[in-house]
Each structure stands twice: as C-alpha cells, then as structure tokens.
Amino acid sequence: MRIDLDTAFLDDGIRSTNFFNGRLLSAEDLTREQQARKDALKQFGAALGEGVVHGLEVEAIIGGSSTTEPVVTVKQGLALNREGRALELKQPVEVSLLRGASNETTAAGAQAGFGACSPPGSVYVSGTGVYLLVISEADGREGRAETSGLGGQPTNGCEAKRLVEGVRFRLLRLEVPDADLQNTTAKRQRLRNRVAHHCFGTTDTQAVPFRDYPFSVPATGYGAIDKLRPQFLTDCDVPLAVIHWRDGEGIRFVDVWSARRRPTRSTQPGRWALGVGDRRAAEGEAMFLQFQDQLDSLRAVNPQALKARDHFEFLPPTGVVPLGNEAFPGFDKNVFFDGVTIREVVTHVEGARMQALLRMAFAFPPVTFLPTTPSSTDPFVWLFKVRENQQALLSGGSTQEYLIFASGHMPDVSEPRYDASHWSFGNYALR
C-alpha cells in the first residue's frame, strides 16, 4: 500500500469507542473499549519480550508419591507471552500431571475458556519421557447479572457478571532421542545435562551454520522447544520447566532453567540473530543458572568423589564450583575437573572483575566433553580463585572456598595490574 507523506495511516490502528455527551452506548461499544485497552497493553508486553519476569518457580517431590500421583508446585509470579499478554499467578498452586481437567470450571461459579487463543490440549504423564510444563492464558466468566431484555437478548438472568483473565498449565512431551533415555548409569547421570542442551540448541545443527558462514539466512528456530512450535507450543504459552518422569520411579528431576528464560526481545537483526540477538544472551544466562542448579543438587551425595564428565557432556562457558572441607560440603578440584585441561597453578582474580567475567562468558559457546574431531583433545578451561574469598579464608573467617572456571576461548582475566592487584595474590603474566 502506498501513502503520501504527512498522511495519517489508520488501517492498523487500535480502535476504541469515542465518548461524548448524549451518545447512546451499547454493550458492543463498551466491549470495544475493553478490547482497545487489552490491545494497547499487549503492545507494551510485546515490546518487553517474552519470558518469566519473576517467580513461577516449579518444584516437585522427587520419587516417592510421584510414582502414582505426579504433582508439581508452581509458585506465584509473572510472565509475558509472545502475544504480549501478562500471565500472573498470585498464589502457589499444585498442578497434577496425571490427567487433564475433567471439566472447564476453575473457580466457584467461573467457567473457563481460551478466548481468542485456543491451544491444543495437554498430554499427561503416561510413560517414561521428558515433558515441558508451560503456563498459558485463559479467560473465564464469573457470576450472574440481571438483564433488562433490551437488544433482543432473553432475560433469563444467567448473563455473566464479570469477565476473568487467568492462567492454565499445559504439559507437552519433548522429543528426546531414545538413546538418551536408556536406563544405564551413564545415561541417567547425563540425561539432565543433555536435555538442557537440547533445549539451548547446543546439539541442534540449525544453530551451527552461523559460525560456518554468518551471511546465510538463519533457520526460524532451533532447539528442542522450538520444534514444538507452532503445532503444540503456541504464542500464548510461556515455558516454565522441564520434567523427567520414569515408570516405576516417578519424577526424577525438575529442571527450571532448561526452559525458563528472562523476558527476551523479539529478534530483529535478521541473519545476525544468532550472533547478536537478545535470545542468545538470555540462553547464556540460562545455561549458567541451569548448571548451578544442577550442581547444587549434586552436592547432596558424596560431592568429593564427583567428576564433572560423569554428569555433564556440556559445561557452561563459566561456572562457580564450591570446594569442600570439614565444615562445608563441596567438590574436590582435581577430581571434579578430571579429564579437563587446566593450568597447574590456579590464578587469582580480583572480585571487582567477577561480575564482568560472568557476563562476558554468556557470549561464548559451552565447553564440550564430546570429541568434535577424531583428533580432539580434552577441553581446556581457566580456573580462578577470587582474592577476597582467599583473604577471608586466611583470616580464619567462616566461609567456603570456591573456584570460577571459564572457557579456554575467553581471555585471561587474572592478568596482574600494578596499583590494582594485591602483591600476595598476584600472578605472573602469561607470555
């Protein structure tokens, strides 16, 4: 369509009711005004991006009763879907994964529906598999309002008094290779990490061509979650967590950061999206947080004997590893990084550089234990100790020692600087 300069283009504008004294108003006029408000709010929501704003953590009982009655708890919080609509939960709820809703009633006197958004129904836990829990929008009607009979409507007194915007939860099955679900010790230990990186797109060849040739037009999506769009996962849904359930054992793990993302702006750079798009930055953050969550769960059982390569086929480009001693449970550096190429001497880094180190790492690819070529060597990472943490330990403070690892592709952030580094915690510069 062609238009002239200084000419108002109103075809795609939001239409609202024009109020003035003396005008007769109908239900249609007021409904149009309500819809205009919703459309304007959706524009703001879409500009902020899709994802979880805060809360909506998902927890579950591992094993035990989840064998026959799998239930997860979703805490209160707020999310934005791709349509720009806000999805808010103001109280924790327990969500049964065993079956779908037996009726459409979600509250006393409220009848639920999907309104303009009609996603397909959920699957339910029906066998060993990996599932994606999503939150979706839902509309309902509540109460009864008396009617006058005007407008040709029957006066049966059953018209809804209020319209209610709410949420509902859906469960989708993620496509995971059968080989990953084999019930061997090695496969079970690495499944959570592999599923996470299926979701991040690490194992998807659609995300690789950018490094091979950045001028090609990228695919519309990558990763296990995108493979569910648009047939199963709709623009009305926001992923919350990945759940693994196994016959005879129940829920084995709930992994939030495999699916959860902070609000992420829609991709505008086109073919450069895989390089500078906001989605890649959000996935870098999620990759770090997913690793830290899984590491916390592994600390519960004999962490001193745990090797990273037994549980992780992919490490994030950076991570924080707590070291164990008599007072604090944690990992052993030499055991944990067995099979990883590291420097013999762990260097010190100033705490002032720690946040910059973590954020810089989000732009780097994960570290892989998988051989990329027949002649591939063990992965290489930098290991750093934070000066302030070491000083606290030397002064007898009650604190836990930790290491920061970073991809070998990253620059060395421990380079000493006069008047900025501390003599007792300085390092020799690399040559």
Side-chain angles (χ1 to χ4, degrees):
M1 179 179 293
R2 181 176 179 177
I3 61 173
D4 296 328
L5 293 173
D6 300 322
T7 300
F9 182 71
L10 304 178
D11 290 15
D12 298 331
I14 296 176
R15 284 163 170 76
S16 60
T17 301
N18 180 33
F19 295 100
F20 57 88
N21 292 332
R23 172 172 177 168
L24 292 176
L25 293 175
S26 65
E28 289 80 6
D29 296 323
L30 299 177
T31 299
R32 186 180 299 112
E33 186 66 19
Q34 289 177 324
Q35 187 60 46
R37 179 186 64 85
K38 292 181 180 180
D39 291 342
L41 291 175
K42 282 186 175 182
Q43 288 181 338
F44 281 107
L48 293 172
E50 64 165 325
V52 178
V53 180
H54 64 81
L56 296 178
E57 295 90 355
V58 181
E59 297 177 349
I61 296 175
I62 304 302
S65 61
S66 69
T67 305
T68 56
E69 290 290 335
V71 174
V72 296
T73 300
V74 183
K75 297 184 178 180
Q76 60 264 42
L78 177 68
L80 295 170
N81 64 19
R82 284 192 175 185
E83 295 285 341
R85 178 161 165 175
L87 309 176
E88 186 174 22
L89 192 64
K90 294 187 175 181
Q91 58 183 309
V93 297
E94 292 186 349
V95 182
S96 172
L97 308 181
L98 190 61
R99 62 185 66 84
S102 58
N103 55 57
E104 293 299 308
T105 301
T106 59
Q111 296 297 315
F114 284 112
C117 182
S118 299
S122 298
V123 300
Y124 55 90
V125 171
S126 59
T128 298
V130 179
Y131 301 87
L132 178 68
L133 181 70
V134 303
I135 187 172
S136 185
E137 60 188 66
D139 298 318
R141 298 173 182 270
E142 185 179 73
R144 296 181 178 181
E146 295 292 333
T147 61
S148 65
L150 296 177
Q153 298 296 324
T155 56
N156 55 16
C158 294
E159 293 300 310
K161 192 172 186 178
R162 289 175 290 273
L163 302 177
V164 184
E165 294 183 356
V167 300
R168 69 175 65 200
F169 299 93
R170 302 199 302 122
L171 195 67
L172 310 175
R173 183 184 287 270
L174 276 177
E175 292 298 326
V176 176
D178 291 338
D180 290 348
L181 296 174
Q182 293 176 1
N183 198 23
T184 64
T185 300
K187 295 290 186 179
R188 288 167 62 92
Q189 288 179 340
R190 296 176 180 172
L191 179 61
R192 179 171 176 178
N193 178 252
R194 280 194 60 82
V195 169
H197 283 267
H198 287 325
C199 295
F200 295 138
T202 307
T203 60
D204 193 338
T205 56
Q206 297 283 7
V208 174
F210 177 79
R211 298 194 294 269
D212 298 340
Y213 184 72
F215 303 102
S216 60
V217 178
T220 55
Y222 58 86
I225 294 177
D226 272 358
K227 289 180 180 179
L228 298 175
R229 301 183 187 274
Q231 185 176 1
F232 303 106
L233 184 66
T234 74
D235 289 348
C236 300
D237 303 318
V238 177
L240 294 182
V242 166
I243 301 167
H244 174 44
W245 192 89
R246 181 173 286 277
D247 286 328
E249 296 183 43
I251 295 176
R252 287 198 61 233
F253 63 76
V254 175
D255 198 311
V256 174
W257 288 104
S258 291
R260 179 191 178 106
R261 304 288 182 270
R262 59 154 170 86
T264 306
R265 297 185 301 275
S266 60
T267 302
Q268 293 300 327
R271 66 184 182 183
W272 299 103
L274 289 175
V276 299
D278 193 32
R279 173 176 174 177
R280 296 304 278 179
E283 286 170 342
E285 296 175 19
M287 203 177 295
F288 167 78
L289 294 169
Q290 189 278 331
F291 170 79
Q292 297 299 149
D293 272 3
Q294 186 172 354
L295 204 63
D296 285 343
S297 66
L298 293 172
R299 290 175 67 182
V301 181
N302 195 19
Q304 290 280 322
L306 188 139
K307 298 180 181 180
R309 67 186 311 150
D310 289 342
H311 295 266
F312 302 94
E313 288 191 1
F314 304 94
L315 293 175
T318 189
V320 182
V321 180
L323 301 181
N325 55 34
E326 295 180 356
F328 298 97
F331 303 90
D332 181 277
K333 173 182 74 71
N334 295 323
V335 176
F336 187 83
F337 289 103
D338 179 59
V340 181
T341 301
I342 58 176
R343 293 178 63 185
E344 291 298 325
V345 179
V346 179
T347 55
H348 293 90
V349 64
E350 290 294 312
R353 302 184 191 179
M354 183 175 176
Q355 184 179 27
L357 166 63
L358 296 180
R359 291 196 171 276
M360 178 171 57
F362 297 157
F364 285 78
V367 178
T368 176
F369 285 104
L370 299 177
T372 54
T373 64
S375 60
S376 293
T377 58
D378 290 335
F380 167 67
V381 298
W382 301 102
L383 292 184
F384 305 110
K385 291 182 178 180
V386 177
R387 187 261 305 171
E388 288 85 344
N389 177 248
Q390 293 299 305
Q391 279 187 322
L393 289 168
L394 290 175
S395 64
S398 178
T399 188
Q400 183 168 15
E401 185 178 15
Y402 65 89
L403 291 174
I404 300 177
F405 70 84
S407 168
H409 293 290
M410 294 179 57
D412 179 18
V413 297
S414 65
E415 180 181 355
R417 295 183 179 179
Y418 284 106
D419 298 326
S421 299
H422 289 241
W423 181 262
S424 299
F425 299 94
N427 315 297
Y428 288 106
L430 293 179
R431 296 185 181 272

